[in-house]
Amino acid sequence: MNHRFSDIFRAHRGKVSDKWSSYLPVYDELFSPFRMSPIRLLEIGVQNGGSLEVYSKFFPNHEKIVGCDIHPLCARLDYINPRIQVVVGDCNADATRDRIFAASDSFDLIIDDGSHRSDDIIRSFLTYFPALTGGGAFVVEDLSTSYWRAFDGGLFHTRSSMSFFKLLIDVIHAEHWGVEVPAHELITRDFPHYGALAACVGLQSIASIAFHNSMCVIRKCETPDQQSLGARIIRGTDPTVVDVRHWDGTGPIRSDERGNPNSRF
Ligand SMILES: C[S@@+](CC[C@H](N)C(=O)[O-])C[C@H]1O[C@@H](n2cnc3c(N)ncnc32)[C@H](O)[C@@H]1O
């Protein structure tokens, strides 16, 4: 009996799915804690629809698996399993978004394997991350395209999807900036056209961001607004060099950086 996602994927027959081999161990680790949960999963870009079948096999207690694809032939994808649903349309169009949310108003796992164009990737992250449940993960596949001109990218392109996700590294450290600026302003500084979306996305609930080759995994905090270094924990009774025990239980160090020219917005 296979329990690893990679084994189930490699053994899959039926509708076709297309994933890079280096993604599979990432999914093994990411998906395993969710395996027996009644998960709700959204995949943007399903093409031949095989990935939805693989997810349904790997998560036997799934509540809902929703796929979205702009290709009209995806309307022909049919599944005996009524818990798999395909929404045909542009994931970033209001009408499509409404149909996705009608299928499920929240998701534990969201995978963007859609157009791979920077604008679409950023827009779908800002649109669907708010619908991610606490402890859930948002995965973006094929970020290799962010380096390619044909996908509006380039190594030093400041508005590429990769540049956007790199900014989220600073966002999860917002409490250490030492300047009184809301986290979303870091995004709107380089990406002004996402202003309203960026302000509403709930950036303070991003727990972590991890990069793999061409893949980014953004995890949400278990509870809203939980993002913080937390309290200092000091244990042990023998401080031979420096006695730091009085710091036990204290919060993050605050540094006022408002006068720092390298921290100016
Ligand atoms: C790489 S394929 C998906 C492969 C699939 N996830 C799999 O595992 O086999 C990308 C798909 O994204 C779809 N797509 C492109 N732009 C889209 C958009 N704006 N909204 C939804 N789907 C989109 C394409 O039609 C295409 O079928």
Side-chain angles (χ1 to χ4, degrees):
M1 185 72 170
N2 290 331
H3 288 305
R4 285 196 319 169
F5 179 80
S6 52
D7 293 335
I8 292 174
F9 187 88
R10 288 179 191 278
H12 175 68
R13 302 287 178 270
K15 291 182 172 55
V16 167
S17 179
D18 172 9
K19 303 273 180 212
W20 295 104
S21 60
S22 64
Y23 296 171
L24 299 181
V26 177
Y27 282 136
D28 283 341
E29 196 181 333
L30 180 67
F31 287 170
S32 68
F34 295 92
R35 179 165 157 76
M36 301 312 286
S37 306
I39 61 125
R40 289 145 301 165
L41 181 152
L42 168 65
E43 183 170 65
I44 296 166
V46 298
Q47 207 169 55
N48 297 295
S51 53
L52 305 186
E53 291 183 328
V54 179
Y55 302 135
S56 74
K57 284 188 263 186
F58 179 77
F59 300 109
N61 301 318
H62 58 274
E63 188 179 308
K64 198 87 194 183
I65 293 175
V66 182
C68 169
D69 203 293
I70 201 169
H71 200 299
L73 287 183
C74 287
R76 292 190 189 168
L77 294 172
D78 61 329
Y79 299 87
I80 297 164
N81 179 347
R83 292 175 292 163
I84 300 179
Q85 187 176 338
V86 174
V87 174
V88 179
D90 174 358
C91 63
N92 287 318
D94 291 353
T96 313
R97 182 202 56 206
D98 292 349
R99 281 189 289 140
I100 289 172
F101 286 147
S104 178
D105 58 8
S106 59
F107 295 96
D108 307 293
L109 295 166
I110 301 176
I111 298 149
D112 183 354
D113 189 20
S115 77
H116 307 317
R117 303 193 75 84
S118 290
D119 181 59
D120 280 337
I121 292 171
I122 298 165
R123 206 168 280 283
S124 37
F125 174 77
L126 296 173
T127 301
Y128 294 102
F129 185 77
L132 192 68
T133 52
F138 193 110
V139 181
V140 187
E141 290 189 3
D142 295 357
L143 283 169
S144 44
T145 57
S146 92
Y147 300 105
W148 303 343
R149 183 185 280 179
F151 286 78
D152 312 324
L155 178 57
F156 301 112
H157 198 307
T158 53
R159 304 236 177 118
S160 72
S161 51
M162 195 57 103
S163 295
F164 172 85
F165 289 116
K166 285 184 200 169
L167 283 180
L168 298 186
I169 298 170
D170 292 323
V171 162
I172 64 174
H173 295 93
E175 68 177 327
H176 309 295
W177 293 352
V179 289
E180 299 292 322
V181 177
H184 70 260
E185 285 192 21
L186 187 72
I187 305 292
T188 50
R189 187 167 163 265
D190 288 349
F191 297 87
H193 46 298
Y194 300 119
L197 271 177
C200 303
V201 71
L203 295 171
Q204 68 287 349
S205 65
I206 296 175
S208 67
I209 174 154
F211 292 93
H212 308 265
N213 191 333
S214 301
M215 192 188 211
C216 181
V217 181
I218 304 107
R219 309 210 49 156
K220 200 169 207 171
C221 298
E222 293 284 343
T223 54
D225 301 335
Q226 200 190 17
Q227 175 55 254
S228 171
L229 195 57
R232 204 159 184 158
I233 302 174
I234 298 183
R235 294 294 179 270
T237 52
D238 182 10
T240 306
V241 179
V242 182
D243 191 354
V244 296
R245 288 173 296 174
H246 58 283
W247 285 329
D248 187 40
T250 56
I253 296 163
R254 304 285 177 201
S255 174
D256 185 349
E257 298 299 321
R258 284 174 297 182
N260 183 343
N262 293 313
S263 299
R264 201 167 290 143
F265 266 75

